[in-house]
Amino acid sequence: MRAFLLGLMVGVASGAAFTVAGRAGRAGRALLAFEPGIDSDTWGALIRLDGRAEKLVNAFGEIVPLAADLPVTFETCNRANAYYYLAPPKIVVCYEFMDLIYELHLPLASNPEHAIDNTIATTVGVLAHELGHAAVRLADLPIVARSEDVADAFAAWFTWKVLKDTEPAVGLGAFWRLLHLTGETGDANDVHSPSDVRAYNLLCWAYGAGEAPWLDEVLGDRARHCEGEFAEIDSGWRGLLGLGPIE
């Protein structure tokens, strides 16, 4: 990922335990499922084998009060996207979105297997972003920024806290950078920040988490602010969710 990102801009430590003090008695659960359809035997199988999506979904059910089960499904949608649906609450990640991520990564990857690895990591970041939307809505949290930026911050925070892994945030940042380079820069008047802004935010927060020191080559002067930015995000989400110590 390092060489890949440095090329765009001119090691995963996973499996750590996620523990939250005093969180129990949930009425609902977050339930991960893989619907049959186009690419379900490929992307769906790879996501299951990777295991990070399952860890995120399980941890989400521990920290967010759910009045009912929250389905989280990977499925064929006939469009390349991912969604959080308000009513009834549901998260969908489309296999077609994974196709798009792979197509963007492939030309700059060292080989197809590398592109697949980057696609899986990026998709985990996408899932974490949608879980951020769900957290705000289902826990009725007050936010003071536009929701898409808040969901990006949640993605960087949650993947690090649950997985001790910055690759999902780095992958998601690389995805937005790739879209920017293809001309999909985003509209300043859109609900989403422009693609390059999202890219550098996610990379900064991954760097601020302390496990991607090589990103200082990408971030330049902003790198010196990133540890503080991530600390604010960490403090903010723990405060909003009423969490005790997180290890």
Side-chain angles (χ1 to χ4, degrees):
M1 184 72 79
R2 174 179 181 172
F4 178 81
L5 250 185
L6 292 177
L8 283 179
M9 299 299 179
V10 117
V12 185
S14 62
F18 178 83
T19 59
V20 180
R23 311 290 285 184
R26 296 292 183 240
R29 297 178 297 162
L31 302 174
L32 180 63
F34 297 87
E35 298 295 331
I38 299 171
D39 290 330
S40 61
D41 292 336
T42 51
W43 290 130
L46 288 168
I47 284 286
R48 286 194 296 269
L49 181 64
D50 177 76
R52 284 177 288 184
E54 183 178 7
K55 288 180 182 179
L56 287 185
V57 169
N58 289 341
F60 183 84
E62 294 176 7
I63 69 168
V64 176
L66 298 176
D69 289 344
L70 172 68
V72 179
T73 64
F74 285 75
E75 61 185 64
T76 298
C77 311
N78 298 316
R79 64 177 66 187
N81 217 327
Y83 309 90
Y84 169 67
Y85 290 97
L86 290 174
K90 178 182 180 180
I91 290 172
V92 171
V93 180
C94 303
Y95 293 126
E96 295 89 343
F97 199 10
M98 298 184 71
D99 287 335
L100 172 62
I101 294 167
Y102 177 76
E103 290 166 6
L104 288 172
H105 277 287
L106 183 60
L108 292 176
S110 57
N111 53 59
E113 290 75 19
H114 184 205
I116 290 171
D117 290 343
N118 288 346
T119 298
I120 299 302
T122 302
T123 302
V124 173
V126 169
L127 171 60
H129 173 95
E130 300 306 329
L131 288 169
H133 286 304
V136 169
R137 293 289 186 169
L138 296 176
D140 194 24
L141 301 177
I143 59 173
V144 292
R146 52 185 174 184
S147 62
E148 296 296 338
D149 293 338
V150 170
D152 277 349
F154 182 88
W157 173 77
F158 196 52
T159 52
W160 170 245
K161 289 300 177 181
V162 175
L163 304 171
K164 289 294 184 285
D165 183 354
T166 57
E167 277 209 348
V170 172
L172 193 52
F175 170 75
W176 291 118
R177 177 65 178 172
L178 284 163
L179 277 184
H180 176 83
L181 293 176
T182 64
E184 296 289 335
T185 58
D187 187 339
N189 195 37
D190 191 64
V191 295
H192 301 85
S193 292
S195 301
D196 234 16
V197 173
R198 299 185 73 180
Y200 282 107
N201 280 343
L202 285 157
L203 297 176
C204 177
W205 300 332
Y207 179 78
E211 290 296 317
W214 56 271
L215 283 173
D216 62 355
E217 301 174 58
V218 171
L219 294 164
D221 185 62
R222 186 177 176 183
R224 63 192 178 92
H225 301 287
C226 296
E227 184 178 355
E229 289 187 34
F230 186 79
E232 289 177 349
I233 291 168
D234 180 33
S235 175
W237 277 110
R238 285 191 292 107
L240 285 171
L241 292 168
L243 298 178
I246 300 178
E247 301 175 356

